[in-house]
Amino acid sequence: MPVIEVSRLRKQYGCTVAVDDVSFTVEAGEIFGILGPNGAGKTTTVECVTGLRAPDRGKVRVLGRDPQRDHEELGELVGVQLQDSQLPDKIRVWEALDLYASFYRRPARADELITRLGLAGRRNAFFADLSGGQKQRLSVALALIGNPEVAVLDELTTGLDPNARREVWDLIAEIRSAGVTILLVTHFMEEAERLCDRVAVIDQGRVVANDTPGGLASRAGGEQRIRFRPSAPLNEDMLTALPEVTQVGRDGGHLLVTGNGEALQAIIALLARQGVIAHELRVDQATLDDAYVALTSTPRERN
Amino acid sequence: MVSATAPSRPGRALRKLTLTETKMLGRTPAVLLWVVGFPVVGLIVLGLIPAANKPVADFGGISVLQTWLPVIILFSLVMSAVNFLPATLVSYRERGVLRRMSTTPVRPRTLLTAQILLNLAVQITTAVLIVILAVAAFGATIGQPLGFIVAFVLTAAALSALGLLVAAVCFTGKAANAVGAVLFFVLMFFAGLWIPRATMPAVLRDISNLTPGGAGGQAILSATAGTWAPWWYFAVLAGYIAVCGALATRLFRWA
């Protein structure tokens, strides 16, 4: 049984369709990413999953339960970190965790969480005095204080500096290894690539792709762009003749070769036969970034 | 990792919430200054004027200080119930504190309950402090103690219901503060803070009787003088509790 099951979800506010038709499933122990540009319908989807909003149409099940009907029961089982959710300025770190622990039947140990999240040195600090990264880590801690089976994390690292972001990523990987299923909403490719087992790309309220990060990237072409400076003049036609190569260009002393996944091997073999060495060799692979841009930036036909 | 046998969760959460909110209140000196400090200092300043402590025949034998007692208590009540209660609740909604709570097993109305309990506790403590000081140090009397308690509780409840209505209709902290400030001036005007009720023209006094400050103040004043105020003062207060309470319940949004 999937941990989260969303099928044909639709939600509109007035005449604005926030979520048009979204379906996906999240299996136990997975980190599942929801990716998409701002206003794509990610947050509304998450709000329907966490029971904060009632869907207009479609089915949402979390651990086999209905987030609307079984709100209280799911409250025990699902930890939620909401985008832009703050705490009162004058609450101390340990007080916030202690308070939220009192909401659950089987809370985690607040002290353990504080240490695990690297907040031990700030346990007496007021919320208002925390840095952005510390606030975010406290927010994650509050999502985990109830010992949840599922954690829903919305725009976890938005507004964090690169160091703080990496810290939070390590933390998420750690949480998953403790057996928690994670639904992660993000608009950072790198984040999805680093953490997610599978991602759904949402654009204009619809799922436009649902795959592993690697699978999505190879869909964007799986092509390689190779750039190097040959140690001796090289006849470009020899490169063009290789079946793996699609295009050859020149940039000053550098050659720019585009080809499929095996292009690099073929070029290196050719160079070796010719006794030429490739200096300043650089290979670029299509990434999730390319896939994302290809999937979301072109205006699509709506049917 | 797991703490077994815990008491019933709603009770435990409410206790913890009330305790945490109390601690945070202690870290917000402005609230204590306006709700407790100024009314108590005002009473002491008034009490130090010898003439204010003497019974006045024109006032039915009570002192000037005693006629001011309801106004001082109302000042504290209005500050607490109509200004700080809604400001806190609106900021909690604005910051997503209530929304976040609704993803936990505990409903955000528990936080509302904790806030109301805390405000009530502060209001009662301040009133007790003011009454003890007025009676022990400045010769005031509470002639009808039961009437005083009923009048105080109904006034506090009416103003709190009004405060909850403000929290329900204001969506930003700024709006709540502005509405609270206007209500403070209106309520305290009709309670007689700037023009004593006795010197108000009949029209103003009639309007005053229909405000929670005016009706509550009269009910409290009568009780200090040893009599129950006419029933319609209590009816006005009950009306505010019913109407504002029902509207606040209907209009309040958690997010």
Side-chain angles (χ1 to χ4, degrees):
Chain A
M1 187 185 70
V3 168
I4 300 175
E5 194 182 351
V6 175
S7 67
R8 313 226 57 189
L9 176 69
R10 185 184 166 91
K11 178 78 193 176
Q12 66 184 76
Y13 309 118
C15 0
T16 317
V17 180
V19 173
D20 187 7
D21 183 0
V22 164
S23 306
F24 62 88
T25 57
V26 181
E27 303 295 331
E30 253 189 329
I31 300 186
F32 188 89
I34 295 185
L35 221 72
N38 291 329
K42 299 180 305 251
T43 293
T44 302
T45 303
V46 164
E47 285 174 338
C48 290
V49 169
T50 53
L52 287 169
R53 279 188 206 286
D56 294 338
R57 246 201 347 250
K59 193 176 90 170
V60 179
R61 290 290 176 274
V62 179
L63 297 163
R65 296 165 178 88
D66 179 344
Q68 284 300 309
R69 222 186 34 230
D70 311 316
H71 191 74
E72 206 150 326
E73 206 183 341
L74 282 176
E76 289 279 353
L77 302 169
V78 182
V80 182
Q81 184 258 329
L82 292 169
Q83 190 183 356
D84 304 326
S85 165
Q86 305 261 318
L87 290 172
D89 279 340
K90 296 279 172 133
I91 196 164
R92 295 187 196 278
V93 168
W94 73 267
E95 285 171 348
L97 280 160
D98 189 43
L99 174 65
Y100 273 68
S102 77
F103 297 171
Y104 297 90
R105 261 184 230 120
R106 301 173 309 273
R109 295 265 298 275
D111 279 339
E112 256 176 49
L113 262 181
I114 288 178
T115 311
R116 234 174 88 196
L117 284 145
L119 289 168
R122 304 289 282 157
R123 66 188 303 281
N124 280 318
F126 288 134
F127 180 76
D129 297 335
L130 297 179
S131 71
Q134 290 166 341
K135 282 181 182 168
Q136 210 62 294
R137 275 181 282 157
L138 176 57
S139 190
V140 176
L142 291 180
L144 299 176
I145 190 75
N147 263 330
E149 290 179 26
V150 183
V152 178
L153 309 168
D154 191 1
E155 297 286 354
L156 186 64
T157 59
T158 303
L160 295 190
D161 63 58
N163 277 331
R165 187 171 300 155
R166 259 155 238 273
E167 272 173 42
V168 174
W169 287 347
D170 290 345
L171 179 73
I172 302 305
E174 211 182 296
I175 294 162
R176 187 256 291 274
S177 60
V180 180
T181 305
I182 296 170
L183 181 65
L184 184 79
V185 179
T186 184
H187 61 251
F188 284 119
M189 289 321 104
E190 203 190 341
E191 187 163 296
E193 219 158 11
R194 276 276 292 261
L195 291 173
C196 297
D197 300 307
R198 288 189 304 135
V199 292
V201 181
I202 297 187
D203 191 28
Q204 297 175 41
R206 285 167 171 265
V207 176
V208 291
N210 187 340
D211 205 339
T212 61
L216 280 180
S218 64
R219 250 198 248 188
E223 68 177 15
Q224 289 181 332
R225 289 182 294 273
I226 300 148
R227 179 189 160 94
F228 64 94
R229 186 168 58 77
S231 61
L234 188 69
N235 185 352
E236 284 173 35
D237 293 340
M238 292 171 71
L239 286 169
T240 318
L242 291 170
E244 293 85 357
V245 170
T246 50
Q247 207 187 339
V248 179
R250 199 173 266 283
D251 173 18
H254 287 85
L255 283 170
L256 298 168
V257 187
T258 309
N260 68 15
E262 275 77 52
L264 180 65
Q265 294 296 336
I267 293 164
I268 297 292
L270 174 73
L271 293 179
R273 284 196 301 273
Q274 302 295 317
V276 176
I277 298 166
H279 290 298
E280 294 156 36
L281 176 66
R282 220 183 93 182
V283 183
D284 287 324
Q285 203 112 35
T287 62
L288 189 54
D289 249 331
D290 300 309
Y292 178 80
V293 170
L295 285 165
T296 59
S297 64
T298 48
R300 289 172 305 112
E301 299 279 329
R302 317 283 308 274
N303 42 3
Chain B
M1 207 60 191
V2 175
S3 74
T5 62
S8 83
R9 215 163 6 97
R12 188 161 44 113
L14 178 60
R15 262 205 317 282
K16 203 54 130 194
L17 272 167
T18 313
L19 182 73
T20 312
E21 293 296 317
T22 308
K23 284 191 200 167
M24 286 193 278
L25 175 69
R27 293 165 191 158
T28 323
V31 177
L32 296 174
L33 194 68
W34 283 96
V35 176
V36 189
F38 288 157
V40 169
V41 169
L43 177 72
I44 293 172
V45 169
L46 199 61
L48 292 177
I49 305 168
N53 295 337
K54 302 249 160 51
V56 180
D58 281 356
F59 296 160
I62 61 176
S63 66
V64 170
L65 182 127
Q66 192 156 333
T67 64
W68 278 92
L69 206 52
V71 179
I72 292 169
I73 290 173
L74 280 166
F75 184 101
S76 165
L77 281 180
V78 169
M79 269 296 160
S80 157
V82 186
N83 287 266
F84 292 115
L85 177 64
T88 309
L89 294 178
V90 169
S91 89
Y92 283 178
R93 178 172 48 214
E94 219 177 0
R95 297 174 140 240
V97 173
L98 299 176
R99 217 163 84 91
R100 165 135 220 177
M101 260 192 81
S102 54
T103 67
T104 74
V106 172
R107 295 183 179 274
R109 74 170 61 107
T110 317
L111 178 55
L112 207 77
T113 311
Q115 264 298 323
I116 294 171
L117 284 178
L118 174 60
N119 270 272
L120 199 63
V122 172
Q123 292 160 5
I124 291 173
T125 310
T126 313
V128 167
L129 202 66
I130 287 171
V131 167
I132 289 177
L133 200 62
V135 170
F138 306 125
T141 55
I142 305 291
Q144 175 48 261
L146 182 63
F148 182 87
I149 290 168
V150 171
F152 173 80
V153 168
L154 284 179
T155 308
L159 290 169
S160 298
L162 186 60
L164 290 176
L165 182 58
V166 173
V169 297
C170 293
F171 276 83
T172 65
K174 272 187 185 151
N177 284 332
V179 172
V182 169
L183 279 175
F184 174 82
F185 281 103
V186 173
L187 289 168
M188 290 316 294
F189 173 81
F190 286 115
L193 179 59
W194 289 283
I195 309 170
R197 268 180 52 102
T199 62
M200 280 181 190
V203 180
L204 279 187
R205 207 157 34 209
D206 287 345
I207 298 172
S208 167
N209 286 340
L210 294 173
T211 66
Q218 282 312 104
I220 292 173
L221 185 63
S222 297
T224 67
T227 56
W228 284 84
W231 63 270
W232 62 80
Y233 289 118
F234 297 101
V236 166
L237 295 174
Y240 276 96
I241 296 169
V243 173
C244 294
L247 280 176
T249 313
R250 178 162 299 195
L251 299 174
F252 199 87
R253 295 284 171 269
W254 299 104

